[in-house]
Amino acid sequence: MSALEQPTRSVLACGEVRTCLLPTLRALDGSAAARMLRLRADEHVRVSERPNLYVRSPDVLTGVDCGLPTSNGAKIRAVGTVAARAALTEGRVLQATAYFSAPASGPETRRPWGQYLVRPGVLEPFGKLPEEATAKGILHGPGRDELNLGMIAEGLLAQLRRGPLLDQRVPFKSRPTHLRWVARYVPVGEGASLERFTLAEEGLRTVELRLPEDIPAAAAAGLCEDLALHDWLLTTVLHLLDRGNRLGAATACHLLHLWMPRARVTPSLTHLWNPLEQAPGFTRQWQNLAQRIRDQHLEAAQNDDVRLPPA
């Protein structure tokens, strides 16, 4: 391999997570979830039953050759593959993630596809990568003919939601969310940090991270999937309780056992949850909501006018 072809370290990792309720009345068990998420015949589906049921597909790759979003209008073309995967929590909550990492610079000429395929989930820029402009562009969203991670993730979600194992009925109404994230890589000694978590309109969230350069993009994606899952749970339960009736509280009981932040985050990144526990206080807010649900359910049971729907 020539010097030009030597892989360089990544300076940026980016992704988008789409989260929604699985369209089926009854939750899938582990076996059915594994069949649904078997996206590749040559790779196993990951199934974990502790501390709760979690099933994750192998990565699938999408080859791209297009412009990257930038905040300053800079034109930067990148070639390579975007990795995408799906996960199902407790047979209820479906997520799809598309992500990639990128080095600081790439060759001025395009390589044969085989050389990109040996580095899955990596996009190489033509020339120097404008790191800050690209990070801000990813968070803002793509323009026409630019890389759209959300479309890749949404395409995977749509494929799975049409699966034959699903009856296309839902136990309650909910809204999907999407979380865009960027991670700027720093030297190993500087440590990891969560720089910003924001809520925007129409279910959009954005996350900015600083990560040591030895943390793979897949681990960053896992952290952001965990953040997206628990944000979706909070958002959904709040929506159910805002209906102002006891049936909403009874329905929310379907979700109370899903709250387990950090359960599957890479150990070196679990501390990045701390800022969200301090302000706005994710778990504190969840515990308050759970108590409201229990209180309303108790009142309903005493009045004997509302029953819990079947699990």
Short mmCIF file of all heavy atoms in Angstrom, two decimals, residues 9 99 134 213 249 274-275 306:
data_model
loop_
_atom_site.label_atom_id
_atom_site.label_comp_id
_atom_site.label_asym_id
_atom_site.label_seq_id
_atom_site.Cartn_x
_atom_site.Cartn_y
_atom_site.Cartn_z
N ARG A 9 -6.09 8.62 10.76
CA ARG A 9 -7.03 8.58 11.88
C ARG A 9 -8.22 9.48 11.61
O ARG A 9 -8.12 10.48 10.90
CB ARG A 9 -6.33 9.02 13.17
CG ARG A 9 -5.92 10.48 13.19
CD ARG A 9 -5.25 10.84 14.51
NE ARG A 9 -4.91 12.25 14.55
CZ ARG A 9 -5.73 13.21 14.94
NH1 ARG A 9 -6.97 12.89 15.31
NH2 ARG A 9 -5.35 14.47 14.95
N TYR A 99 -24.36 6.08 10.48
CA TYR A 99 -23.22 6.84 10.99
C TYR A 99 -21.98 6.59 10.14
O TYR A 99 -21.89 5.63 9.39
CB TYR A 99 -22.95 6.47 12.46
CG TYR A 99 -22.48 5.05 12.67
CD1 TYR A 99 -21.13 4.73 12.76
CD2 TYR A 99 -23.40 4.00 12.78
CE1 TYR A 99 -20.70 3.44 12.96
CE2 TYR A 99 -22.98 2.69 12.98
CZ TYR A 99 -21.62 2.41 13.07
OH TYR A 99 -21.20 1.12 13.26
N THR A 134 -18.24 21.08 8.61
CA THR A 134 -18.95 19.82 8.36
C THR A 134 -19.76 19.40 9.57
O THR A 134 -20.92 18.97 9.44
CB THR A 134 -17.95 18.71 7.99
OG1 THR A 134 -17.22 19.11 6.81
CG2 THR A 134 -18.67 17.41 7.71
N GLU A 213 -9.54 9.89 20.50
CA GLU A 213 -9.45 9.35 19.15
C GLU A 213 -9.42 7.83 19.11
O GLU A 213 -9.52 7.25 18.02
CB GLU A 213 -8.21 9.92 18.45
CG GLU A 213 -6.91 9.64 19.17
CD GLU A 213 -5.75 10.45 18.61
OE1 GLU A 213 -6.00 11.38 17.83
OE2 GLU A 213 -4.59 10.13 18.95
N ALA A 249 -52.49 7.55 31.37
CA ALA A 249 -51.59 7.05 32.41
C ALA A 249 -51.51 5.53 32.39
O ALA A 249 -50.44 4.94 32.56
CB ALA A 249 -52.05 7.55 33.77
N ASN A 274 -23.87 11.98 32.84
CA ASN A 274 -23.95 12.80 34.05
C ASN A 274 -24.52 14.20 33.82
O ASN A 274 -25.37 14.66 34.60
CB ASN A 274 -22.58 12.90 34.72
CG ASN A 274 -22.11 11.57 35.28
OD1 ASN A 274 -22.92 10.65 35.46
ND2 ASN A 274 -20.83 11.45 35.54
N PRO A 275 -24.11 14.91 32.77
CA PRO A 275 -24.68 16.26 32.57
C PRO A 275 -26.20 16.24 32.39
O PRO A 275 -26.89 17.16 32.84
CB PRO A 275 -23.97 16.76 31.31
CG PRO A 275 -22.70 15.99 31.24
CD PRO A 275 -23.03 14.65 31.79
N VAL A 306 -61.26 2.35 35.15
CA VAL A 306 -60.27 2.20 34.09
C VAL A 306 -59.47 0.96 34.38
O VAL A 306 -59.04 0.74 35.53
CB VAL A 306 -59.33 3.43 34.00
CG1 VAL A 306 -58.23 3.15 32.99
CG2 VAL A 306 -60.12 4.66 33.59
#
